[in-house]
């Protein structure tokens, strides 16, 4: 019996990739490391963890159930299918846009250069945070910012309707690196966790979740 035994926690991690055709896609620099370490820390504390992961080069953490997806729309569908859950943590760097059209065959480059159009992807965090009947009791987002980190993260937390937001500055080597420094921002708290290994941030977050659930 450990502190999160009996709790189901859904974690998204990694990038999403948005196909243009069978060989090309839009994506971003997310390595998935922070999300995988959070999933591992939660499982270590006894949680039933569902890790909904975009394409990354990482092994599935011990005692975690991984569901692999590619696009934002697939990620959202899997997260919704995994509800209800006690906690939802959106760590994934979801592609904000996808090509308006996905070609079944390799697209002609000259045609793509003149016709490529993008459409916005669904916001997974906001969708889950505003579910009417089965919103998880604790919804946590991440804010990847390159400037005005705390101000932007505060606004993002309100916009996304999540309970906590973990703000990090991705202007340096955070994306792909092994270390991170973050702010935990809620409606009544702003706490800094100074730069440390991503595993350290994962442990701090997992312990905060244990404490929060014990008060619910
Ligand atoms: N997120 C999500 N679905 C999206 C975009 C973002 O679930 N389509 C989640 C991320 O997992 C993260 C949070 O929203 O928890 C904030 O992501 P971020 O990339 O910082 O912000 P965006 O919503 O993309 O806004 P912007 O690019 O304008 O900063």
């Amino acid at each position: 019996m450990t502190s999160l035994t009996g709790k189901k926690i859904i974690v998204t991690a990694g990038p999403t990739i948005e196909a243009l055709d069978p060989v090309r896609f839009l994506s971003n620099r997310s390595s998935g490391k922070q999300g995988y370490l959070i999933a591992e820390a939660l499982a270590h504390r006894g949680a039933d963890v569902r890790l909904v992961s975009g394409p990354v080069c990482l092994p599935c953490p011990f005692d975690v159930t991984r569901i692999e997806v590619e696009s934002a729309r697939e990620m959202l569908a899997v997260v919704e299918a995994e509800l209800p859950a006690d906690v939802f943590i959106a760590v994934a760097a979801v592609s904000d846009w996808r090509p308006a059209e996905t070609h079944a065959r390799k697209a002609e480059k000259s045609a793509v250069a003149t016709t490529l159009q993008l459409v916005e992807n669904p916001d997974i965090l906001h969708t889950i945070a505003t579910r009417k009947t089965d919103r998880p009791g604790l919804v946590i987002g991440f804010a990847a910012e390159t400037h005005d980190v705390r101000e932007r993260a505060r606004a993002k937390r309100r916009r996304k309707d999540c309970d906590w937001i973990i703000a990090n500055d991705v202007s340096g080597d955070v994306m792909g690196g092994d270390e991170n420094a973050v702010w935990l921002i809620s409606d009544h708290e702003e706490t800094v966790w100074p730069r440390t290994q991503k595993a350290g941030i994962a442990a701090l977050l997992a312990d905060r979740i244990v404490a929060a659930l014990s008060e619910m």
Side-chain angles (χ1 to χ4, degrees):
M1 177 80 161
T2 42
S3 39
L4 292 175
T5 303
K7 302 296 182 191
K8 180 173 175 183
I9 303 185
I10 306 172
V11 180
T12 65
T16 64
I17 65 172
E18 311 295 332
L20 173 62
D21 67 18
V23 297
R24 305 185 183 99
F25 57 78
L26 287 181
S27 192
N28 60 65
R29 293 184 189 281
S30 170
S31 65
K33 281 179 195 167
Q34 186 67 84
Y36 273 56
L37 288 164
I38 289 168
E40 186 173 26
L42 295 167
H44 185 66
R45 287 160 181 73
D48 171 9
V49 182
R50 308 298 160 95
L51 176 59
V52 187
S53 175
V56 296
C57 299
L58 296 171
C60 183
F62 180 69
D63 248 2
V64 165
T65 303
R66 176 168 66 175
I67 304 137
E68 294 175 75
V69 299
E70 291 202 338
S71 69
R73 287 181 296 173
E74 286 169 12
M75 187 172 268
L76 175 59
V78 170
V79 171
E80 288 182 319
E82 287 294 336
L83 291 173
D86 298 284
V87 184
F88 173 60
I89 314 176
V91 196
V94 180
S95 299
D96 291 316
W97 318 277
R98 63 178 185 275
E101 188 185 358
T102 302
H103 301 271
R105 300 197 301 184
K106 191 176 172 194
E108 290 300 330
K109 63 181 165 195
S110 53
V112 171
T114 53
T115 61
L116 180 61
Q117 288 195 325
L118 301 177
V119 291
E120 230 175 277
N121 266 327
D123 190 314
I124 300 168
L125 176 58
H126 185 252
T127 304
I128 300 305
T130 52
R131 297 271 295 200
K132 291 285 174 279
T133 54
D134 54 5
R135 182 195 194 272
L138 181 60
V139 176
I140 305 170
F142 270 67
E145 310 295 348
T146 56
H147 56 283
D148 304 328
V149 176
R150 282 166 70 190
E151 295 69 21
R152 291 176 62 86
R154 258 180 234 140
K156 197 170 277 186
R157 191 187 74 81
R158 287 193 294 270
R159 201 165 67 236
K160 304 251 180 180
D161 287 301
C162 56
D163 302 303
W164 301 351
I165 204 145
I166 310 295
N168 54 5
D169 184 342
V170 293
S171 59
D173 58 358
V174 164
M175 276 189 137
D178 290 322
E179 296 188 344
N180 205 354
V182 306
W183 286 90
L184 186 158
I185 298 176
S186 72
D187 65 347
H188 61 278
E189 171 188 356
E190 294 197 4
T191 303
V192 66
W193 290 337
R195 189 174 171 105
T196 184
Q197 295 288 311
K198 285 183 173 176
I201 299 288
L204 286 167
L205 180 60
D207 287 339
R208 284 301 303 264
I209 292 169
V210 170
L213 293 191
S214 71
E215 287 164 12
M216 278 179 178

